[in-house]
Amino acid sequence: MKIHDTMTRKPVPFEPLEPGHVRMYTCGPTVYNYAHIGNFRAYVWEDLLRRTLKFLGYRVTQVMNITDIEDKIITRMQETNCSLEDVTGPNIDAFFEDIDILRIERAEHYPRATDHIPEMLELAEKLKDKGHTYASQGSLYFKIDSFADYGRLSHLDKREIRDGARIDNDEYEKEDARDFVLWKGFREGEVGWESPFGKGRPGWHLECSAMAMKYLGKTFDLHTGGVDNIFPHHENEIAQSEAANGEQFVRYWMHAAHLMVDGQKMSKSKGNFYTLRDILDKGYDPRAIRLLLLSTHYRTPLNFTLKGLAQSGAELDRLDDLLDRLDREELAPGNNQAYEERIAAELSAFGKALAEDLNISGALGALFRLVRETNSRLDQGELPSGSREVLREALLRMDTVLMVMTREESAGLDAEVEALIASRAAAREARDWAEADRIRDALSDMGIVLEDTPQGVHWKRKGLGPGNGE
Ligand code: AMP
Ligand code: ZN
């Protein structure tokens, strides 16, 4: 596989440290609010990357952190007079619901910052012991002058760095390349933990370094995020981790361009954002949202419009129509070798395109060529049933990456829901009505509504339109 590495600004061959096993870290949500679909552009792209790696035969260990202590969370607590958990809890729940709806495969680990304070303090102490820090007014700072490589990832002009100038904010602009805060001294009305540096809380950058190291080791393969993460966040992660360990932190960096609205980055602070719920409430199919977020190459800014979303919906209809035709039409038995070779060639073109730095247009091109060719074969009665099965398998294989063709709601929960529905059917068969009701209630607690019809049981997720079997 080839990827575009942010550090070298070049396409490079990707080889994991351990053959066949990719260890990757993706910066996750800051849970002071609902995630918006700009965030989901990043997460859906990271899912495309993860699924492509698996498609190409790699095992993946992915870590996505949950930033549940950070400046904006503190501000929200103060604004609403709520506890930390009251602010973050509902947003964490919503985040997991949203990633299921968008069929983002679950990472192996979702560490929360507040569960890893000891690891963060250990890292800060190591940096202190090695002379990379200084204390001032109750806070501990990283001295960027003490790390010769500072600025390599973001290609920062070293002259911009002002000696000894400090910054306390978690987020700041390039012009503010300053010594950054590792541990923030406690202030009244904030949250704090006791520490060797005094009571306080971790800086955002320290959180990711400590959690990445804990779950992936000192050196791992791949670190991703949106381009806004390059500076200062990832620059600071490198400084902390490499200064502490004396080893390379990350072997490849990948960053996604932003999702834009009217030429501006979609962001919570600008107020120009849609949440996933906003769009679902307008009646759009979650698969169309996923397809829209996937369809633009990750290094190209994606301008979000409802018209674009409708276009993705229309593409989805073409896929659904073909799949319906394949189910519905009576086909003559047999196989067509030339056509099956075309299927194999397009499947291979699909994989090759994705292996070229996730060339999604190339991959979708292969899929839609197959759709066109198959439709015209169906029109002309030239699709034997044996070849239909070959095609179905190829489409299924492509859909392990795209996840837009299968019509069941969300990948993550489906198996569990189906298993419960099957147990309920068995209970009803055995006339154990109490058990059947119990299972229905359990499903209801999961947000699943059942509908018994003459054709069997249909289910849907509350408020999200039709689910399995419709
Ligand atoms: P945050 O919750 O702001 O820390 O962001 C979580 C992830 O979403 C990070 O990887 C960001 O780079 C990414 N992100 C935030 N806004 C956008 C946007 N408008 N387009 C693409 N990615 C974004
Ligand atoms: Zn991070």
PDB file of all heavy atoms in Angstrom, residues 27-30 36 38-39 42-43 225-226 228-229 257-259 265-266, ligand 1:
ATOM      1  N   CYS A  27      -7.034  10.538  16.605  1.00  0.00           N
ATOM      2  CA  CYS A  27      -7.513  11.488  17.606  1.00  0.00           C
ATOM      3  C   CYS A  27      -9.037  11.491  17.613  1.00  0.00           C
ATOM      4  O   CYS A  27      -9.672  11.683  16.580  1.00  0.00           O
ATOM      5  CB  CYS A  27      -6.969  12.884  17.333  1.00  0.00           C
ATOM      6  SG  CYS A  27      -5.235  12.981  17.811  1.00  0.00           S
ATOM      7  N   GLY A  28      -9.592  11.267  18.770  1.00  0.00           N
ATOM      8  CA  GLY A  28     -11.044  11.131  18.880  1.00  0.00           C
ATOM      9  C   GLY A  28     -11.725  12.412  19.302  1.00  0.00           C
ATOM     10  O   GLY A  28     -11.115  13.483  19.301  1.00  0.00           O
ATOM     11  N   PRO A  29     -12.992  12.301  19.677  1.00  0.00           N
ATOM     12  CA  PRO A  29     -13.791  13.501  19.945  1.00  0.00           C
ATOM     13  C   PRO A  29     -13.474  14.155  21.283  1.00  0.00           C
ATOM     14  O   PRO A  29     -13.133  13.474  22.241  1.00  0.00           O
ATOM     15  CB  PRO A  29     -15.219  12.945  19.972  1.00  0.00           C
ATOM     16  CG  PRO A  29     -15.066  11.548  20.456  1.00  0.00           C
ATOM     17  CD  PRO A  29     -13.761  11.067  19.878  1.00  0.00           C
ATOM     18  N   THR A  30     -13.583  15.475  21.292  1.00  0.00           N
ATOM     19  CA  THR A  30     -13.595  16.222  22.543  1.00  0.00           C
ATOM     20  C   THR A  30     -15.069  16.341  22.916  1.00  0.00           C
ATOM     21  O   THR A  30     -15.834  16.981  22.199  1.00  0.00           O
ATOM     22  CB  THR A  30     -12.976  17.615  22.342  1.00  0.00           C
ATOM     23  OG1 THR A  30     -11.674  17.432  21.771  1.00  0.00           O
ATOM     24  CG2 THR A  30     -12.859  18.361  23.643  1.00  0.00           C
ATOM     25  N   HIS A  36     -19.986  16.991  15.065  1.00  0.00           N
ATOM     26  CA  HIS A  36     -20.681  17.459  13.856  1.00  0.00           C
ATOM     27  C   HIS A  36     -20.169  16.663  12.665  1.00  0.00           C
ATOM     28  O   HIS A  36     -19.213  15.894  12.786  1.00  0.00           O
ATOM     29  CB  HIS A  36     -20.491  18.965  13.665  1.00  0.00           C
ATOM     30  CG  HIS A  36     -19.063  19.418  13.593  1.00  0.00           C
ATOM     31  ND1 HIS A  36     -18.229  19.084  12.545  1.00  0.00           N
ATOM     32  CD2 HIS A  36     -18.324  20.169  14.449  1.00  0.00           C
ATOM     33  CE1 HIS A  36     -17.044  19.623  12.754  1.00  0.00           C
ATOM     34  NE2 HIS A  36     -17.067  20.273  13.916  1.00  0.00           N
ATOM     35  N   GLY A  38     -18.481  17.442  10.204  1.00  0.00           N
ATOM     36  CA  GLY A  38     -17.070  17.684   9.883  1.00  0.00           C
ATOM     37  C   GLY A  38     -16.199  16.676  10.615  1.00  0.00           C
ATOM     38  O   GLY A  38     -15.322  16.041  10.041  1.00  0.00           O
ATOM     39  N   ASN A  39     -16.465  16.503  11.899  1.00  0.00           N
ATOM     40  CA  ASN A  39     -15.747  15.478  12.664  1.00  0.00           C
ATOM     41  C   ASN A  39     -15.946  14.106  12.006  1.00  0.00           C
ATOM     42  O   ASN A  39     -14.999  13.334  11.885  1.00  0.00           O
ATOM     43  CB  ASN A  39     -16.274  15.385  14.102  1.00  0.00           C
ATOM     44  CG  ASN A  39     -16.138  16.677  14.879  1.00  0.00           C
ATOM     45  OD1 ASN A  39     -17.123  17.188  15.399  1.00  0.00           O
ATOM     46  ND2 ASN A  39     -14.943  17.221  14.948  1.00  0.00           N
ATOM     47  N   ALA A  42     -13.731  13.124   9.219  1.00  0.00           N
ATOM     48  CA  ALA A  42     -12.461  12.540   9.675  1.00  0.00           C
ATOM     49  C   ALA A  42     -12.673  11.089  10.112  1.00  0.00           C
ATOM     50  O   ALA A  42     -11.928  10.198   9.710  1.00  0.00           O
ATOM     51  CB  ALA A  42     -11.877  13.379  10.802  1.00  0.00           C
ATOM     52  N   TYR A  43     -13.711  10.841  10.899  1.00  0.00           N
ATOM     53  CA  TYR A  43     -13.895   9.472  11.422  1.00  0.00           C
ATOM     54  C   TYR A  43     -14.278   8.476  10.324  1.00  0.00           C
ATOM     55  O   TYR A  43     -13.875   7.321  10.369  1.00  0.00           O
ATOM     56  CB  TYR A  43     -14.951   9.442  12.532  1.00  0.00           C
ATOM     57  CG  TYR A  43     -14.668  10.401  13.669  1.00  0.00           C
ATOM     58  CD1 TYR A  43     -15.693  11.092  14.312  1.00  0.00           C
ATOM     59  CD2 TYR A  43     -13.364  10.640  14.099  1.00  0.00           C
ATOM     60  CE1 TYR A  43     -15.439  11.983  15.347  1.00  0.00           C
ATOM     61  CE2 TYR A  43     -13.092  11.529  15.123  1.00  0.00           C
ATOM     62  CZ  TYR A  43     -14.134  12.197  15.730  1.00  0.00           C
ATOM     63  OH  TYR A  43     -13.870  13.085  16.743  1.00  0.00           O
ATOM     64  N   GLY A 225      -5.554  12.115  11.833  1.00  0.00           N
ATOM     65  CA  GLY A 225      -6.418  13.175  12.371  1.00  0.00           C
ATOM     66  C   GLY A 225      -6.786  14.115  11.236  1.00  0.00           C
ATOM     67  O   GLY A 225      -6.399  13.880  10.079  1.00  0.00           O
ATOM     68  N   GLY A 226      -7.512  15.166  11.557  1.00  0.00           N
ATOM     69  CA  GLY A 226      -7.775  16.194  10.568  1.00  0.00           C
ATOM     70  C   GLY A 226      -6.579  17.134  10.480  1.00  0.00           C
ATOM     71  O   GLY A 226      -5.755  17.173  11.390  1.00  0.00           O
ATOM     72  N   ASP A 228      -6.294  20.142  10.988  1.00  0.00           N
ATOM     73  CA  ASP A 228      -6.202  21.094  12.105  1.00  0.00           C
ATOM     74  C   ASP A 228      -5.417  20.510  13.280  1.00  0.00           C
ATOM     75  O   ASP A 228      -4.974  21.241  14.155  1.00  0.00           O
ATOM     76  CB  ASP A 228      -7.607  21.506  12.579  1.00  0.00           C
ATOM     77  CG  ASP A 228      -8.457  20.310  12.962  1.00  0.00           C
ATOM     78  OD1 ASP A 228      -8.535  19.355  12.166  1.00  0.00           O
ATOM     79  OD2 ASP A 228      -9.034  20.310  14.064  1.00  0.00           O
ATOM     80  N   ASN A 229      -5.254  19.190  13.297  1.00  0.00           N
ATOM     81  CA  ASN A 229      -4.492  18.560  14.382  1.00  0.00           C
ATOM     82  C   ASN A 229      -2.973  18.660  14.197  1.00  0.00           C
ATOM     83  O   ASN A 229      -2.217  18.441  15.140  1.00  0.00           O
ATOM     84  CB  ASN A 229      -4.844  17.070  14.498  1.00  0.00           C
ATOM     85  CG  ASN A 229      -6.210  16.820  15.094  1.00  0.00           C
ATOM     86  OD1 ASN A 229      -6.814  15.781  14.837  1.00  0.00           O
ATOM     87  ND2 ASN A 229      -6.722  17.750  15.870  1.00  0.00           N
ATOM     88  N   ALA A 257      -8.266  16.490   4.919  1.00  0.00           N
ATOM     89  CA  ALA A 257      -8.679  17.887   4.712  1.00  0.00           C
ATOM     90  C   ALA A 257     -10.045  18.086   5.371  1.00  0.00           C
ATOM     91  O   ALA A 257     -10.743  17.131   5.718  1.00  0.00           O
ATOM     92  CB  ALA A 257      -8.770  18.177   3.226  1.00  0.00           C
ATOM     93  N   HIS A 258     -10.426  19.324   5.500  1.00  0.00           N
ATOM     94  CA  HIS A 258     -11.659  19.630   6.225  1.00  0.00           C
ATOM     95  C   HIS A 258     -12.915  19.464   5.396  1.00  0.00           C
ATOM     96  O   HIS A 258     -12.896  19.531   4.177  1.00  0.00           O
ATOM     97  CB  HIS A 258     -11.598  21.065   6.746  1.00  0.00           C
ATOM     98  CG  HIS A 258     -10.731  21.180   7.947  1.00  0.00           C
ATOM     99  ND1 HIS A 258      -9.947  22.269   8.198  1.00  0.00           N
ATOM    100  CD2 HIS A 258     -10.519  20.305   8.968  1.00  0.00           C
ATOM    101  CE1 HIS A 258      -9.296  22.068   9.328  1.00  0.00           C
ATOM    102  NE2 HIS A 258      -9.617  20.884   9.801  1.00  0.00           N
ATOM    103  N   LEU A 259     -13.983  19.300   6.106  1.00  0.00           N
ATOM    104  CA  LEU A 259     -15.295  19.456   5.522  1.00  0.00           C
ATOM    105  C   LEU A 259     -15.656  20.928   5.683  1.00  0.00           C
ATOM    106  O   LEU A 259     -15.503  21.499   6.768  1.00  0.00           O
ATOM    107  CB  LEU A 259     -16.294  18.560   6.262  1.00  0.00           C
ATOM    108  CG  LEU A 259     -17.703  18.583   5.723  1.00  0.00           C
ATOM    109  CD1 LEU A 259     -18.202  17.160   5.583  1.00  0.00           C
ATOM    110  CD2 LEU A 259     -18.633  19.346   6.626  1.00  0.00           C
ATOM    111  N   LYS A 265     -14.207  26.121   7.274  1.00  0.00           N
ATOM    112  CA  LYS A 265     -14.193  24.863   8.001  1.00  0.00           C
ATOM    113  C   LYS A 265     -15.462  24.748   8.843  1.00  0.00           C
ATOM    114  O   LYS A 265     -15.826  25.701   9.527  1.00  0.00           O
ATOM    115  CB  LYS A 265     -12.961  24.833   8.920  1.00  0.00           C
ATOM    116  CG  LYS A 265     -12.905  23.623   9.836  1.00  0.00           C
ATOM    117  CD  LYS A 265     -11.839  23.771  10.920  1.00  0.00           C
ATOM    118  CE  LYS A 265     -11.954  22.635  11.930  1.00  0.00           C
ATOM    119  NZ  LYS A 265     -11.211  22.862  13.152  1.00  0.00           N
ATOM    120  N   MET A 266     -16.135  23.594   8.754  1.00  0.00           N
ATOM    121  CA  MET A 266     -17.269  23.379   9.646  1.00  0.00           C
ATOM    122  C   MET A 266     -16.718  23.210  11.054  1.00  0.00           C
ATOM    123  O   MET A 266     -15.850  22.377  11.286  1.00  0.00           O
ATOM    124  CB  MET A 266     -18.063  22.137   9.237  1.00  0.00           C
ATOM    125  CG  MET A 266     -19.251  21.859  10.142  1.00  0.00           C
ATOM    126  SD  MET A 266     -20.301  20.477   9.616  1.00  0.00           S
ATOM    127  CE  MET A 266     -21.212  21.167   8.247  1.00  0.00           C
TER     128      MET A 266
HETATM  129  P1  AMP B   1     -12.302  17.699  17.960  1.00  0.00           P
HETATM  130  O1  AMP B   1     -13.494  17.067  18.636  1.00  0.00           O
HETATM  131  O2  AMP B   1     -12.481  19.125  17.600  1.00  0.00           O
HETATM  132  O3  AMP B   1     -11.017  17.436  18.729  1.00  0.00           O
HETATM  133  O4  AMP B   1     -12.120  16.961  16.558  1.00  0.00           O
HETATM  134  C1  AMP B   1     -12.125  15.582  16.395  1.00  0.00           C
HETATM  135  C2  AMP B   1     -11.625  15.220  15.023  1.00  0.00           C
HETATM  136  O5  AMP B   1     -12.423  15.820  13.986  1.00  0.00           O
HETATM  137  C3  AMP B   1     -10.184  15.678  14.747  1.00  0.00           C
HETATM  138  O6  AMP B   1      -9.515  14.659  14.045  1.00  0.00           O
HETATM  139  C4  AMP B   1     -10.368  16.911  13.874  1.00  0.00           C
HETATM  140  O7  AMP B   1      -9.252  17.125  13.050  1.00  0.00           O
HETATM  141  C5  AMP B   1     -11.579  16.530  13.061  1.00  0.00           C
HETATM  142  N1  AMP B   1     -12.323  17.684  12.515  1.00  0.00           N
HETATM  143  C6  AMP B   1     -12.839  18.752  13.189  1.00  0.00           C
HETATM  144  N2  AMP B   1     -13.479  19.600  12.339  1.00  0.00           N
HETATM  145  C7  AMP B   1     -13.400  19.045  11.100  1.00  0.00           C
HETATM  146  C8  AMP B   1     -13.884  19.431   9.785  1.00  0.00           C
HETATM  147  N3  AMP B   1     -14.611  20.528   9.582  1.00  0.00           N
HETATM  148  N4  AMP B   1     -13.605  18.600   8.753  1.00  0.00           N
HETATM  149  C9  AMP B   1     -12.881  17.462   8.947  1.00  0.00           C
HETATM  150  N5  AMP B   1     -12.425  17.053  10.148  1.00  0.00           N
HETATM  151  C10 AMP B   1     -12.659  17.826  11.213  1.00  0.00           C
END
